[in-house]
Amino acid sequence: MSAHNDDCLFCRLIRGEIPSAVVYENEQVYAFLDINPVSRGHVLIVPRDHAETLFDMRPGADAALLDAMRKVGRAVMLATGAEGLNVVQNNYKAAGQEVPHVHWHLIPRHAGDGHSPWPHGNYADTEEMGAVAAAIKSAL
Ligand code: AMP
Ligand code: ZN
């Protein structure tokens, strides 16, 4: 029996209380069409167990999720004729997470479709870059 949250949109959707266009499901994961797709065939993959973000998940579900992403991602590309696929995962509101049940977006991409992600910046110098890397390492 999966842990669920009665107030969670995706838990309710997994339980069939809210309709969804399911494309794949197994004991651990549930995959369905995003209702407001970035492009045709945009899929969301979620673990059945309720966890708000990536950091709240029990580690055991990781392998099943990656397997499902590869399986469903390949099928999305074949079915839509996409030439590429973005896998996107937002954690917390500041990063654009709207639904607090961890999920991965599989977004089919076509050359020149204009959906390219965020712009890239740069570091002032290698010293600044080294300091940022050091801060992350010391937080591990
Ligand atoms: P995020 O911003 O990463 O939390 O993504 C949430 C996604 O859930 C958005 O892309 C929404 O379009 C999608 N969404 C919200 N409600 C539903 C629903 N009932 N069925 C399918 N997708 C949904
Ligand atoms: Zn949930």
Short mmCIF file of all heavy atoms in Angstrom, two decimals, residues 59-101:
data_model
loop_
_atom_site.label_atom_id
_atom_site.label_comp_id
_atom_site.label_asym_id
_atom_site.label_seq_id
_atom_site.Cartn_x
_atom_site.Cartn_y
_atom_site.Cartn_z
N PRO A 59 14.91 6.44 -0.84
CA PRO A 59 15.82 6.11 -1.93
C PRO A 59 15.41 4.89 -2.75
O PRO A 59 15.74 4.79 -3.91
CB PRO A 59 17.16 5.84 -1.22
CG PRO A 59 17.02 6.44 0.14
CD PRO A 59 15.56 6.49 0.47
N GLY A 60 14.64 3.98 -2.18
CA GLY A 60 14.30 2.74 -2.86
C GLY A 60 13.62 2.87 -4.21
O GLY A 60 13.74 1.99 -5.05
N ALA A 61 12.93 3.98 -4.44
CA ALA A 61 12.14 4.11 -5.67
C ALA A 61 12.96 4.65 -6.85
O ALA A 61 12.47 4.69 -7.98
CB ALA A 61 10.95 5.04 -5.42
N ASP A 62 14.21 5.00 -6.61
CA ASP A 62 15.00 5.68 -7.64
C ASP A 62 15.15 4.86 -8.93
O ASP A 62 14.97 5.38 -10.03
CB ASP A 62 16.40 6.03 -7.12
CG ASP A 62 16.33 6.99 -5.94
OD1 ASP A 62 15.22 7.41 -5.59
OD2 ASP A 62 17.39 7.31 -5.39
N ALA A 63 15.51 3.60 -8.77
CA ALA A 63 15.79 2.77 -9.95
C ALA A 63 14.52 2.59 -10.78
O ALA A 63 14.57 2.69 -12.02
CB ALA A 63 16.35 1.43 -9.52
N ALA A 64 13.39 2.37 -10.11
CA ALA A 64 12.13 2.18 -10.83
C ALA A 64 11.77 3.43 -11.62
O ALA A 64 11.28 3.35 -12.75
CB ALA A 64 11.02 1.83 -9.85
N LEU A 65 12.05 4.59 -11.03
CA LEU A 65 11.72 5.84 -11.71
C LEU A 65 12.59 6.04 -12.95
O LEU A 65 12.10 6.43 -14.02
CB LEU A 65 11.90 7.02 -10.76
CG LEU A 65 10.64 7.31 -9.96
CD1 LEU A 65 10.96 8.07 -8.70
CD2 LEU A 65 9.65 8.09 -10.82
N LEU A 66 13.88 5.79 -12.81
CA LEU A 66 14.77 5.95 -13.96
C LEU A 66 14.40 4.97 -15.08
O LEU A 66 14.39 5.35 -16.26
CB LEU A 66 16.23 5.73 -13.54
CG LEU A 66 17.02 6.98 -13.23
CD1 LEU A 66 18.44 6.61 -12.83
CD2 LEU A 66 17.06 7.93 -14.44
N ASP A 67 14.08 3.74 -14.72
CA ASP A 67 13.66 2.75 -15.72
C ASP A 67 12.41 3.24 -16.45
O ASP A 67 12.32 3.16 -17.67
CB ASP A 67 13.34 1.41 -15.06
CG ASP A 67 14.59 0.60 -14.74
OD1 ASP A 67 15.68 1.01 -15.19
OD2 ASP A 67 14.47 -0.41 -14.03
N ALA A 68 11.45 3.76 -15.67
CA ALA A 68 10.20 4.24 -16.26
C ALA A 68 10.45 5.44 -17.17
O ALA A 68 9.85 5.57 -18.23
CB ALA A 68 9.19 4.59 -15.17
N MET A 69 11.39 6.31 -16.77
CA MET A 69 11.69 7.49 -17.61
C MET A 69 12.25 7.08 -18.95
O MET A 69 11.91 7.64 -19.98
CB MET A 69 12.68 8.40 -16.89
CG MET A 69 12.00 9.36 -15.96
SD MET A 69 13.22 10.43 -15.23
CE MET A 69 13.03 9.97 -13.54
N ARG A 70 13.14 6.05 -18.92
CA ARG A 70 13.71 5.58 -20.19
C ARG A 70 12.64 4.92 -21.05
O ARG A 70 12.53 5.19 -22.25
CB ARG A 70 14.86 4.61 -19.94
CG ARG A 70 16.18 5.30 -19.67
CD ARG A 70 17.31 4.29 -19.65
NE ARG A 70 17.25 3.49 -18.44
CZ ARG A 70 17.92 3.77 -17.33
NH1 ARG A 70 18.73 4.80 -17.30
NH2 ARG A 70 17.80 3.02 -16.27
N LYS A 71 11.84 4.07 -20.42
CA LYS A 71 10.80 3.33 -21.16
C LYS A 71 9.77 4.30 -21.75
O LYS A 71 9.49 4.27 -22.96
CB LYS A 71 10.11 2.36 -20.18
CG LYS A 71 9.11 1.42 -20.79
CD LYS A 71 8.50 0.54 -19.69
CE LYS A 71 7.46 -0.40 -20.24
NZ LYS A 71 8.03 -1.52 -21.00
N VAL A 72 9.22 5.17 -20.92
CA VAL A 72 8.18 6.08 -21.38
C VAL A 72 8.78 7.16 -22.29
O VAL A 72 8.17 7.53 -23.30
CB VAL A 72 7.44 6.73 -20.18
CG1 VAL A 72 6.39 7.72 -20.65
CG2 VAL A 72 6.79 5.64 -19.32
N GLY A 73 9.98 7.63 -21.96
CA GLY A 73 10.64 8.65 -22.79
C GLY A 73 10.83 8.16 -24.23
O GLY A 73 10.57 8.89 -25.19
N ARG A 74 11.28 6.92 -24.38
CA ARG A 74 11.45 6.34 -25.73
C ARG A 74 10.11 6.30 -26.45
O ARG A 74 10.00 6.65 -27.63
CB ARG A 74 11.99 4.91 -25.63
CG ARG A 74 13.47 4.82 -25.65
CD ARG A 74 13.94 3.37 -25.84
NE ARG A 74 15.19 3.19 -25.12
CZ ARG A 74 15.31 2.56 -23.96
NH1 ARG A 74 14.27 1.97 -23.40
NH2 ARG A 74 16.48 2.49 -23.36
N ALA A 75 9.07 5.87 -25.74
CA ALA A 75 7.73 5.76 -26.35
C ALA A 75 7.20 7.13 -26.74
O ALA A 75 6.58 7.29 -27.80
CB ALA A 75 6.77 5.07 -25.37
N VAL A 76 7.44 8.13 -25.89
CA VAL A 76 6.98 9.50 -26.20
C VAL A 76 7.66 9.97 -27.49
O VAL A 76 7.02 10.54 -28.38
CB VAL A 76 7.30 10.46 -25.02
CG1 VAL A 76 7.17 11.91 -25.45
CG2 VAL A 76 6.39 10.17 -23.84
N MET A 77 8.96 9.73 -27.59
CA MET A 77 9.68 10.18 -28.79
C MET A 77 9.16 9.48 -30.05
O MET A 77 8.94 10.11 -31.08
CB MET A 77 11.19 9.95 -28.63
CG MET A 77 11.81 10.91 -27.63
SD MET A 77 13.61 10.82 -27.58
CE MET A 77 14.02 11.54 -29.18
N LEU A 78 8.94 8.16 -29.94
CA LEU A 78 8.44 7.41 -31.10
C LEU A 78 7.05 7.89 -31.49
O LEU A 78 6.76 8.11 -32.67
CB LEU A 78 8.37 5.92 -30.77
CG LEU A 78 9.69 5.15 -30.87
CD1 LEU A 78 9.51 3.73 -30.33
CD2 LEU A 78 10.14 5.10 -32.35
N ALA A 79 6.18 8.07 -30.50
CA ALA A 79 4.78 8.41 -30.78
C ALA A 79 4.61 9.82 -31.31
O ALA A 79 3.68 10.09 -32.08
CB ALA A 79 3.94 8.24 -29.51
N THR A 80 5.50 10.72 -30.92
CA THR A 80 5.35 12.13 -31.32
C THR A 80 6.28 12.50 -32.47
O THR A 80 6.17 13.60 -33.01
CB THR A 80 5.66 13.08 -30.14
OG1 THR A 80 7.01 12.88 -29.72
CG2 THR A 80 4.70 12.86 -28.98
N GLY A 81 7.22 11.62 -32.79
CA GLY A 81 8.21 11.94 -33.83
C GLY A 81 9.22 12.97 -33.35
O GLY A 81 9.89 13.62 -34.16
N ALA A 82 9.35 13.11 -32.02
CA ALA A 82 10.28 14.10 -31.47
C ALA A 82 11.72 13.70 -31.79
O ALA A 82 12.06 12.52 -31.86
CB ALA A 82 10.09 14.21 -29.96
N GLU A 83 12.55 14.74 -31.93
CA GLU A 83 13.98 14.51 -32.20
C GLU A 83 14.80 14.61 -30.91
O GLU A 83 15.98 14.28 -30.88
CB GLU A 83 14.48 15.57 -33.18
CG GLU A 83 13.71 15.60 -34.48
CD GLU A 83 13.85 16.97 -35.17
OE1 GLU A 83 14.88 17.19 -35.80
OE2 GLU A 83 12.93 17.80 -35.02
N GLY A 84 14.16 15.10 -29.85
CA GLY A 84 14.84 15.23 -28.56
C GLY A 84 13.82 15.18 -27.43
O GLY A 84 12.61 15.20 -27.67
N LEU A 85 14.34 15.08 -26.20
CA LEU A 85 13.45 14.98 -25.04
C LEU A 85 14.12 15.66 -23.85
O LEU A 85 15.22 15.28 -23.47
CB LEU A 85 13.19 13.51 -24.71
CG LEU A 85 12.15 13.26 -23.63
CD1 LEU A 85 10.75 13.15 -24.24
CD2 LEU A 85 12.44 11.98 -22.86
N ASN A 86 13.45 16.63 -23.27
CA ASN A 86 13.94 17.24 -22.02
C ASN A 86 13.31 16.51 -20.84
O ASN A 86 12.10 16.25 -20.83
CB ASN A 86 13.56 18.72 -21.91
CG ASN A 86 14.39 19.60 -22.81
OD1 ASN A 86 13.87 20.34 -23.62
ND2 ASN A 86 15.70 19.53 -22.66
N VAL A 87 14.15 16.18 -19.84
CA VAL A 87 13.66 15.65 -18.56
C VAL A 87 13.87 16.76 -17.54
O VAL A 87 15.01 17.17 -17.30
CB VAL A 87 14.41 14.38 -18.15
CG1 VAL A 87 13.91 13.86 -16.80
CG2 VAL A 87 14.25 13.30 -19.21
N VAL A 88 12.78 17.26 -16.98
CA VAL A 88 12.85 18.42 -16.09
C VAL A 88 12.18 18.07 -14.77
O VAL A 88 11.13 17.41 -14.75
CB VAL A 88 12.13 19.64 -16.72
CG1 VAL A 88 12.18 20.84 -15.80
CG2 VAL A 88 12.74 19.97 -18.08
N GLN A 89 12.78 18.53 -13.68
CA GLN A 89 12.22 18.21 -12.36
C GLN A 89 12.42 19.42 -11.45
O GLN A 89 13.54 19.85 -11.19
CB GLN A 89 12.96 16.98 -11.81
CG GLN A 89 12.24 16.26 -10.70
CD GLN A 89 12.69 16.72 -9.35
OE1 GLN A 89 13.89 16.90 -9.13
NE2 GLN A 89 11.76 16.90 -8.44
N ASN A 90 11.32 20.02 -11.00
CA ASN A 90 11.37 21.25 -10.19
C ASN A 90 11.17 20.94 -8.71
O ASN A 90 10.24 20.20 -8.36
CB ASN A 90 10.25 22.21 -10.64
CG ASN A 90 10.35 22.57 -12.12
OD1 ASN A 90 11.44 22.71 -12.66
ND2 ASN A 90 9.21 22.69 -12.78
N ASN A 91 12.02 21.51 -7.86
CA ASN A 91 11.87 21.35 -6.41
C ASN A 91 11.65 22.69 -5.74
O ASN A 91 12.48 23.59 -5.89
CB ASN A 91 13.12 20.70 -5.81
CG ASN A 91 13.32 19.29 -6.34
OD1 ASN A 91 12.58 18.39 -5.98
ND2 ASN A 91 14.29 19.12 -7.22
N TYR A 92 10.54 22.81 -5.04
CA TYR A 92 10.15 24.01 -4.28
C TYR A 92 9.66 25.11 -5.23
O TYR A 92 10.03 25.17 -6.41
CB TYR A 92 11.30 24.53 -3.40
CG TYR A 92 11.87 23.48 -2.48
CD1 TYR A 92 13.17 23.01 -2.65
CD2 TYR A 92 11.10 22.94 -1.45
CE1 TYR A 92 13.70 22.03 -1.81
CE2 TYR A 92 11.62 21.96 -0.61
CZ TYR A 92 12.92 21.51 -0.80
OH TYR A 92 13.43 20.53 0.02
N LYS A 93 8.83 25.99 -4.65
CA LYS A 93 8.17 27.06 -5.41
C LYS A 93 9.17 27.93 -6.18
O LYS A 93 8.92 28.33 -7.31
CB LYS A 93 7.39 27.95 -4.44
CG LYS A 93 5.96 27.49 -4.18
CD LYS A 93 5.19 28.62 -3.48
CE LYS A 93 3.70 28.45 -3.51
NZ LYS A 93 3.15 27.23 -3.03
N ALA A 94 10.30 28.25 -5.53
CA ALA A 94 11.28 29.15 -6.17
C ALA A 94 11.82 28.58 -7.47
O ALA A 94 12.29 29.32 -8.33
CB ALA A 94 12.44 29.43 -5.21
N ALA A 95 11.75 27.24 -7.60
CA ALA A 95 12.23 26.60 -8.83
C ALA A 95 11.07 26.29 -9.77
O ALA A 95 11.25 25.60 -10.78
CB ALA A 95 12.98 25.31 -8.48
N GLY A 96 9.87 26.78 -9.45
CA GLY A 96 8.73 26.59 -10.34
C GLY A 96 7.86 25.39 -10.02
O GLY A 96 7.01 25.01 -10.82
N GLN A 97 8.08 24.75 -8.84
CA GLN A 97 7.23 23.61 -8.49
C GLN A 97 5.85 24.11 -8.07
O GLN A 97 5.73 24.84 -7.09
CB GLN A 97 7.86 22.78 -7.36
CG GLN A 97 7.03 21.54 -7.06
CD GLN A 97 7.66 20.62 -5.99
OE1 GLN A 97 8.62 20.99 -5.33
NE2 GLN A 97 7.09 19.44 -5.84
N GLU A 98 4.83 23.68 -8.82
CA GLU A 98 3.45 24.09 -8.51
C GLU A 98 2.71 22.99 -7.76
O GLU A 98 1.85 23.29 -6.94
CB GLU A 98 2.70 24.39 -9.81
CG GLU A 98 3.13 25.71 -10.45
CD GLU A 98 2.51 25.88 -11.83
OE1 GLU A 98 1.60 25.11 -12.20
OE2 GLU A 98 2.97 26.78 -12.55
N VAL A 99 3.02 21.74 -8.08
CA VAL A 99 2.32 20.63 -7.43
C VAL A 99 3.30 19.95 -6.47
O VAL A 99 4.33 19.42 -6.90
CB VAL A 99 1.80 19.61 -8.48
CG1 VAL A 99 1.11 18.44 -7.78
CG2 VAL A 99 0.85 20.29 -9.46
N PRO A 100 3.00 19.98 -5.16
CA PRO A 100 3.94 19.44 -4.18
C PRO A 100 3.90 17.92 -4.03
O PRO A 100 3.74 17.39 -2.92
CB PRO A 100 3.56 20.17 -2.89
CG PRO A 100 2.13 20.52 -3.05
CD PRO A 100 1.87 20.67 -4.52
N HIS A 101 3.99 17.21 -5.14
CA HIS A 101 4.19 15.76 -5.17
C HIS A 101 5.26 15.58 -6.24
O HIS A 101 5.01 15.91 -7.41
CB HIS A 101 2.88 15.04 -5.52
CG HIS A 101 2.98 13.54 -5.57
ND1 HIS A 101 2.10 12.70 -4.91
CD2 HIS A 101 3.86 12.72 -6.22
CE1 HIS A 101 2.43 11.43 -5.15
NE2 HIS A 101 3.51 11.43 -5.96
#
